[in-house]
Amino acid sequence: MSLSAFSTLLLIAFMMGSNHVAARFAFENGVDVATAMTMRSSVTALVLTLLIWQQKVQISLTRQNKRALLGVGVLVGVQSLCIYSSVARIPVALALLAFNTYPLWTSLWAFLIYRHRPEAVTLRAMPVMLVGLALALDVLGAASGLGAQGQWSLIGIGVAFAMAAAATFALALVFIQHETVGVDGRVRTLSTMTCAAVIGLVAVSTQGGFHLPTADAGWWGLMGLTLMYGTAFTIMFTVLPRLGVVGNSAIMNVEPIFALVLAWVLLGQAIAPVQVLGGLVVVGTVMFLGLRKR
């Protein structure tokens, strides 16, 4: 991998981590999850529409593709609501680390739906990742001094949302791999973002309309999460193909590390050293699974 490709992947990971830190600013200043998700998805869908139009991408979908894309869009919409709900409740880095267990969920869904047995290396990596996650989340409450019950009363709902996001995202990935073969990545992502925006609008309507920021920090957060997310996706589909790098390269899984540093500097969200160690174990395991030779 060239230096420019590696740097681009790190930039995307940084922007995705920044997106979630910006979201926390928005949530702390009047914005709700549905509003943030709708803004992010709508603007990204608009950018992708312009990109597809400018590049004259041909759109040809079979009936199976259309059904699969609708399913994937709904799953990613639910995933978006869940991950932002997690970020709103627990430290950003912990939410993203719990979400980073999605490779395990991917193996589970592939086995349950398509009877694809997990690779031996994946099975060996599972307990390592789960131990790392247990350390990162401080499941026994040792680092926090709260004890297991106190710790889970504090983070339980947020972790549940993050795990739900991981499970739904993994299912979407499995469907993408098996049911959308031949569909251009830009078209697939546009469909996904459009569905997510519609789901966000439905959620907004059930909550009495958009919940806009009540302070300047909230506006900066809302604009930041929209800009970072949309820019990351634009780079993913314009720059990376020319660099010869797969868009979902494992290098981008360092996103929680960027989020950890940014949340500590900007939000004052500090976690114990043992939790940092657990986070490194999770990220390292995910990167190992993604970078290994097949």
Side-chain angles (χ1 to χ4, degrees):
M1 184 186 299
S2 68
L3 178 61
S4 59
F6 184 79
S7 301
T8 303
L9 290 171
L10 287 182
L11 175 62
I12 292 173
F14 173 79
M15 288 191 290
M16 295 302 284
S18 299
N19 143 64
H20 289 100
V21 173
R24 185 62 182 248
F25 274 106
F27 298 148
E28 291 180 350
N29 291 277
V31 179
D32 68 342
V33 169
T35 299
M37 174 189 155
T38 303
M39 291 292 294
R40 181 193 79 171
S41 301
S42 299
V43 172
T44 304
L46 176 59
V47 171
L48 286 170
T49 298
L50 295 174
L51 180 64
I52 289 172
W53 175 77
Q54 189 270 330
Q55 296 181 348
K56 297 181 173 59
V57 177
Q58 296 297 316
I59 301 177
S60 179
L61 301 174
T62 66
R63 182 175 299 179
Q64 178 185 356
N65 291 155
K66 292 176 182 178
R67 287 198 302 265
L69 288 174
L70 177 60
V72 168
V74 171
L75 286 169
V76 172
V78 173
Q79 176 258 330
S80 299
L81 287 173
C82 287
I83 191 60
Y84 271 175
S85 295
S86 179
V87 166
R89 288 169 170 81
I90 61 176
V92 178
L94 297 187
L96 295 182
L97 286 170
F99 172 71
N100 247 31
T101 60
Y102 71 83
L104 306 187
W105 289 98
T106 302
S107 296
L108 176 61
W109 289 125
F111 174 72
L112 292 176
I113 299 173
Y114 297 101
R115 295 302 173 188
H116 289 181
R117 292 187 177 276
E119 298 179 56
V121 66
T122 301
L123 293 175
R124 290 195 293 268
M126 284 182 181
V128 177
M129 184 184 295
L130 293 176
V131 168
L133 184 62
L135 291 174
L137 295 178
D138 187 25
V139 295
L140 298 179
S144 65
L146 298 174
Q149 184 175 355
Q151 179 70 353
W152 279 99
S153 67
L154 190 65
I155 69 171
I157 296 177
V159 172
F161 272 120
M163 297 300 283
T168 50
F169 182 67
L171 184 56
L173 290 181
V174 171
F175 284 149
I176 286 172
Q177 180 181 354
H178 293 88
E179 306 294 341
T180 65
V181 177
V183 178
D184 187 282
R186 292 160 292 187
V187 175
R188 186 177 61 223
T189 305
L190 172 60
S191 171
T192 300
M193 289 297 102
T194 301
C195 286
V198 171
I199 291 173
L201 285 171
V202 171
V204 166
S205 67
T206 64
Q207 299 179 23
F210 289 100
H211 291 187
L212 298 177
T214 57
D216 288 345
W219 283 108
W220 283 111
L222 186 59
M223 290 188 293
L225 72 90
T226 303
L227 176 64
M228 291 295 178
Y229 193 82
T231 303
F233 265 92
T234 302
I235 292 175
M236 210 178 296
F237 291 110
T238 55
V239 178
L240 291 190
R242 293 201 296 270
L243 295 175
V245 180
V246 178
N248 62 352
S249 173
I251 296 296
M252 291 190 291
N253 285 299
V254 299
E255 175 190 347
I257 303 301
F258 284 124
L260 173 65
V261 175
L262 289 170
W264 172 57
V265 173
L266 300 176
L267 295 168
Q269 293 182 348
I271 61 177
V274 68
Q275 293 178 280
V276 175
L277 174 62
L280 292 174
V281 170
V282 173
V283 172
T285 305
V286 173
M287 291 183 65
F288 167 75
L289 289 174
L291 293 173
R292 74 190 188 283
K293 294 182 179 179
R294 299 177 185 273

